[in-house]
Amino acid sequence: MTSNVLFYDRPADRWFEALPIGNGRLGGMVYGGVGTETIRLSESTAWSGAPSSTDLNPAARERIPVIRELLFAGRHAEAQRLAQESLPGRPASFGTNVPLPRLRLDFGDDRAGGYRRALDLDTGIVRTDFDQDRVHFVREVLASHPHGVLALRLSADRPGAVGFTATLDDTELPGVTTAGDAELRFRGRAVESLHSDGKQGTDLAIRARFTLDGGTLRCDGDTVTVSGADAVVVLVAVGTDWAGEDPAARTETLLATAAEAGWAALRAAHVADHSRLMGRVSLELGAAGRLPVDVRRNRLSEGHRDDDLIALYFQYGRYLTIAGSRADSPLPLALQGVWNDGLASSSGWTNDFHLDINTQQNYWAAESGNLAECHTPLIRFVERLAEAGRDTARSMYDADGWVAHTVTNAWGYTAPGSGIGWGLNVTGGAWIALQLWEHYEYQPDERYLREHAYPVLRGAALFLLDHLTPEPSHGWLVAGPAESPENWYLSPADDTPCSVAMGTTADRVFAEAILRITAEAAEILKTDTDLRVRIQAARDRLSPFRIGRHGQLQEWLDDVDEADPAHRHTAHLVAVFPERQIGPRRTPELARAAAVTLRRRQQAPGWEQTEWVEANFAAFHARLLDGDQALVHVTRLIADTSEANLLSYSAGGIAGAPQNIYSFDGNSAGTGAIAEMLLQSDGAEIELLPALPSTWRDGAVRGLRARGGHTVDITWRDGRLHEARVRPDRAGRTLLRYRDTVLDLALTPDEPLTVDRHRFRTR
């Protein structure tokens, strides 16, 4: 039986050993130290920077037609130079999410016996136990979504044994920490000078309130000292003015409500709220491991098999999604979720929202992982982004609708990124808009479609209808000038490395997806008949997929050589996943070409193996129905690109990272890829165990979601389906596939349908 617990036999010495908690807005990294307890704080709206109306390059609009003509004429190097001068955005104060001060509790004595710290994924509580001088100490830490605070309780089995000094420290943010009235208070501002002007950013308030059971408390300067207590509860609240709130008033309200509830009620409310989501899905792949998780991860990297660790990683991605993104979260999951290690925000990346796969991957665990409400913050964010992108579409491209590019921030940035070679992803907005359709697919709701998804999709389609232009050789409609994230090719004329092109395959995929989906949505809603006609005419003229001389799926319109054959991005394979424009049953020749692309990338010297790439490759192989290869990449994701606390990271030396930097996307995308190995759906057909690895002989999964509004449980024995149960949200019919057999089934919500292996003609 799988145990959903990450446990360790020693305290954390560094961030990548600490354990994460979060309530969808406030995050904490708990170290579980004996002599010193550290909780690193972060909050999703603690952003530097500010909105700006001057981000667009003023030369872009008049230069785009010229760059197009140069590219069509084969003058790629000239087009690249002109694009470099005139297309990148010029953000004045883009900003970043910034790390907050840490809560530090000093106890003095670091001796301990019987030490254990653990994160229970089912309860969302980090617990630390140890013995010291024949006294047993217990600490529990949680981030309460119902009460909006981080809460810590320290206790001992000997009266009067709890004592420490506490402060809020270790921050580069301007501000002041004070102590008084049984509280620590920090007032400051989220400002920095690398990604903004050093002056603009949110106002910030942090308050930590201490409630004692016995003992005494003393406040002195910026320190609280507790002596001789039986138990202590610490409540931490954070507020910013990002949405116009008064930070101090917010923290006071949160603390007052949580303190009035008391620890027992606060803890019970948290567990009930968290477990309601976490308990929807279970996965069993083998016996629960008995070694600490860091030891198990190391053994996996040495080649030892640990299927239960993979099941734990799957559930961890769901846990992090719950902890980082709730229905009322003000912002969606950023590059680092709601946990900020200070590295992305202090590097050239920024801790922002990347629209060329990372933000999309942040939500791969949401729908299939039965956490649809956790998708809501992203949906609201994209709706706001679509509004902000209307001016960019008109001012830069003279187009209707809306557009966004490679990166965006808390302030609605939609201009191209500030650098050529990565910043000009013209379908970044279209890509992220597909998340709204995915949410509809998993739980069809016409009201949601009409009021939320369709306006965004329609706007993306209107932009593409205006932006697509005929290429001269065949009359195909292509997008551009644009980049295939974030790759470069060699100009056929002189082997000059270039990134800007017309008609990248990724743009073709997203143009087809947005146009097709918008037309489908319009038909469901019985609206926009004329628009559907325009869309069909444009879809008929889109460029085809092409296979290059190496047998690979071409990334660009022409069969050009890659400047970096080992590049981490394979943007053209979005045709395989998340889209289904290429697949082994529908388009076998193109599917083989996609597989060639995957092999060539991995075989190239210096292949850029990162966390999101491993998860991406696992999803690709799952869609190509190759479970064994999918498992190879899931295993590498855990063993090679995740740390001791199982948080995924982007490796130092890749994409400008000076060192390993935490990135949320590997965890969530890994969960989504594993779900894809066990269950796939397209709205018409549900496929059971489509990419089951040959080594997963026996197992069970309960609670996965399928498109069309279905919840599915599956068990398998000796590598073959044993039984499946489908629970629909509403009455209807669906096709249920296992291997080569497809059943046409009638479903009713009051009677879950159970199908065993005898219904399928298996081999």
Side-chain angles (χ1 to χ4, degrees):
M1 183 71 178
T2 295
S3 173
N4 289 336
V5 176
L6 283 72
F7 81 90
Y8 302 82
D9 58 7
R10 59 183 180 84
D13 292 324
R14 55 196 180 93
W15 198 92
F16 270 128
E17 295 174 340
L19 294 172
I21 56 174
N23 66 7
R25 176 170 180 162
L26 175 60
M29 295 295 293
V30 184
Y31 281 61
V34 176
T36 299
E37 174 63 283
T38 299
I39 303 177
R40 291 280 179 180
L41 301 175
S42 50
E43 203 266 3
S44 66
T45 65
W47 264 78
S48 64
S52 174
S53 59
T54 60
D55 296 327
L56 290 176
N57 191 318
R61 182 169 176 170
E62 66 179 35
R63 296 290 177 81
I64 285 174
V66 179
I67 296 169
R68 282 177 173 169
E69 291 305 314
L70 289 172
L71 290 169
F72 284 143
R75 296 159 64 182
H76 301 88
E78 291 179 61
Q80 184 76 21
R81 286 192 293 272
L82 189 58
Q84 173 72 62
E85 296 169 3
S86 52
L87 298 188
R90 298 178 175 179
S93 198
F94 184 89
T96 181
N97 183 260
V98 297
L100 303 183
R102 67 176 177 176
L103 175 65
R104 193 187 82 220
L105 280 61
D106 291 311
F107 303 89
D109 191 346
D110 61 2
R111 297 172 301 145
Y115 182 91
R116 187 179 193 270
R117 68 184 171 101
L119 167 60
D120 187 333
L121 303 183
D122 293 329
T123 64
I125 295 176
V126 172
R127 178 181 170 114
T128 303
D129 290 78
F130 59 89
D131 299 314
Q132 196 175 75
D133 294 333
R134 291 183 290 184
V135 179
H136 186 66
F137 291 88
V138 177
R139 299 180 201 149
E140 288 191 324
V141 194
L142 58 88
S144 168
H145 176 253
H147 288 90
V149 297
L150 184 150
L152 162 66
R153 185 176 189 270
L154 307 96
S155 63
D157 63 1
R158 178 189 295 173
V162 178
F164 55 85
T165 61
T167 192
L168 293 165
D169 69 354
D170 194 29
T171 181
E172 296 181 1
L173 300 181
V176 177
T177 299
T178 58
D181 300 325
E183 287 188 0
L184 288 169
R185 303 185 184 97
F186 176 84
R187 287 304 305 266
R189 300 193 65 218
V191 297
E192 48 76 46
S193 300
L194 181 61
H195 306 294
S196 59
D197 61 5
K199 301 176 182 178
Q200 295 176 303
T202 57
D203 287 337
L204 172 69
I206 305 173
R207 292 173 67 176
R209 181 174 295 180
F210 298 78
T211 302
L212 277 60
D213 182 2
T216 62
L217 181 147
R218 184 180 77 252
C219 296
D220 184 16
D222 61 356
T223 302
V224 166
T225 301
V226 172
S227 304
D230 300 337
V232 180
V233 173
V234 186
L235 303 176
V236 181
V238 178
T240 78
D241 66 349
W242 176 79
E245 291 181 303
D246 181 328
R250 172 178 168 79
T251 56
E252 172 58 32
T253 299
L254 290 173
L255 289 177
T257 303
E260 183 179 2
W263 169 260
L266 187 149
R267 185 186 190 281
H270 161 75
V271 171
D273 172 72
H274 175 83
S275 61
R276 175 181 59 86
L277 298 173
M278 193 68 205
R280 291 174 181 171
V281 176
S282 65
L283 175 61
E284 295 181 22
L285 296 177
R290 298 185 179 184
L291 295 173
V293 164
D294 53 342
V295 176
R296 295 172 66 187
R297 192 205 68 84
N298 289 340
R299 285 172 54 83
L300 189 70
S301 68
E302 293 167 355
H304 296 275
R305 182 176 163 188
D306 192 340
D307 294 338
D308 179 65
L309 184 61
I310 293 172
L312 181 64
Y313 197 86
F314 168 85
Q315 290 287 51
Y316 195 40
R318 295 185 65 250
Y319 166 84
L320 293 169
T321 300
I322 295 167
S325 184
R326 300 299 289 268
D328 59 356
S329 295
L331 285 169
L333 294 156
L335 186 68
Q336 300 194 309
V338 297
W339 302 276
N340 192 324
D341 64 6
L343 298 179
S345 58
S346 62
S347 73
W349 288 7
T350 81
N351 185 3
D352 58 7
F353 307 96
H354 287 47
L355 303 183
D356 59 353
I357 194 170
N358 310 93
T359 302
Q360 291 85 345
Q361 284 189 322
N362 283 355
Y363 284 89
W364 280 10
E367 298 295 343
S368 61
N370 210 336
L371 299 172
E373 54 269 71
C374 295
H375 216 157
T376 308
L378 181 65
I379 292 167
R380 287 196 303 267
F381 182 78
V382 176
E383 289 182 278
R384 295 194 299 268
L385 191 67
E387 286 300 315
R390 291 184 183 278
D391 181 66
T392 301
R394 179 61 62 195
S395 300
M396 182 172 177
Y397 296 101
D398 193 24
D400 198 357
W402 70 278
V403 66
H405 294 83
T406 309
V407 292
T408 187
N409 58 15
W411 315 108
Y413 181 91
T414 59
S418 57
I420 208 70
W422 62 270
L424 194 63
N425 174 26
V426 75
T427 52
W431 193 344
I432 199 69
L434 295 182
Q435 299 291 137
L436 278 69
W437 177 249
E438 179 176 290
H439 185 69
Y440 170 78
E441 284 186 298
Y442 275 90
Q443 44 186 12
D445 177 347
E446 284 196 22
R447 180 177 178 181
Y448 159 78
L449 182 63
R450 179 178 295 105
E451 296 179 2
H452 298 281
Y454 185 66
V456 173
L457 295 165
R458 184 179 187 275
L462 289 174
F463 170 77
L464 287 165
L465 289 172
D466 281 355
H467 178 70
L468 293 169
T469 189
E471 59 86 36
S473 299
H474 304 87
W476 297 327
L477 290 180
V478 297
E483 292 168 325
S484 181
E486 298 174 13
N487 209 355
W488 292 62
Y489 63 94
L490 298 178
S491 169
D494 55 10
D495 284 343
T496 300
C498 296
S499 64
V500 177
M502 295 295 298
T504 74
T505 299
D507 288 343
R508 185 264 184 223
V509 171
F510 292 125
E512 160 61 21
I514 286 293
L515 295 177
R516 181 190 74 247
I517 289 167
T518 300
E520 183 176 342
E523 186 173 357
I524 293 169
L525 298 174
K526 298 179 174 58
T527 189
D528 281 338
T529 302
D530 292 344
L531 178 60
R532 280 184 264 165
V533 173
R534 286 183 65 196
I535 285 174
Q536 187 56 56
R539 288 179 65 196
D540 290 342
R541 296 180 60 193
L542 291 177
S543 58
F545 293 111
R546 309 179 85 179
I547 297 175
R549 62 187 180 279
H550 304 294
Q552 86 285 9
L553 184 70
Q554 287 184 197
E555 186 165 358
W556 293 274
L557 198 61
D558 298 319
D559 189 11
V560 292
D561 288 325
E562 295 164 317
D564 180 7
H567 200 272
R568 60 197 175 277
H569 278 269
T570 49
H572 49 316
L573 296 189
V574 292
V576 177
F577 186 95
E579 272 290 286
R580 293 176 173 273
Q581 296 175 30
I582 292 176
R585 293 194 181 96
R586 182 181 303 173
T587 58
E589 186 178 3
L590 291 173
R592 287 191 292 271
V596 169
T597 296
L598 293 172
R599 287 196 299 272
R600 285 176 57 81
R601 285 296 169 90
Q602 293 175 84
Q603 292 169 359
W607 178 53
E608 295 181 323
Q609 180 194 29
T610 70
E611 82 299 340
W612 66 264
V613 170
E614 290 290 11
N616 205 21
F617 275 42
F620 289 150
H621 283 294
R623 283 282 175 89
L624 294 173
L625 309 181
D626 189 342
D628 287 340
Q629 276 301 306
L631 179 58
V632 166
H633 292 285
V634 168
T635 302
R636 289 177 181 171
L637 169 63
I638 302 170
D640 298 340
T641 61
S642 297
E643 260 280 10
N645 57 9
L646 297 189
L647 291 181
S648 59
Y649 64 86
S650 188
I654 296 177
Q659 58 189 297
N660 294 351
I661 297 179
Y662 164 57
S663 294
F664 182 91
D665 47 23
N667 290 112
S668 50
T671 295
I674 294 168
E676 202 73 15
M677 294 162 67
L678 300 173
L679 184 74
Q680 294 182 22
S681 59
D682 60 9
E685 180 178 287
I686 300 171
E687 183 166 5
L688 306 172
L689 306 179
L692 184 70
S694 59
T695 55
W696 290 0
R697 303 305 297 170
D698 302 293
V701 65
R702 178 186 61 82
L704 290 181
R705 291 284 287 177
R707 288 173 173 82
H710 307 291
T711 304
V712 182
D713 307 334
I714 312 171
T715 59
W716 62 95
R717 300 287 182 268
D718 197 26
R720 299 172 67 180
L721 175 70
H722 176 69
E723 185 177 271
R725 190 182 193 202
V726 182
R727 289 169 279 153
D729 294 347
R730 56 185 58 80
R733 304 194 70 85
T734 193
L735 300 176
L736 189 66
R737 173 187 287 273
Y738 176 61
R739 296 184 178 175
D740 295 330
T741 301
V742 180
L743 304 178
D744 188 345
L745 303 174
L747 301 172
T748 59
D750 298 328
E751 298 181 19
L753 182 69
T754 300
V755 180
D756 64 25
R757 62 184 178 86
H758 300 295
R759 295 284 300 274
F760 295 94
R761 298 188 302 275
T762 58
R763 300 175 187 172

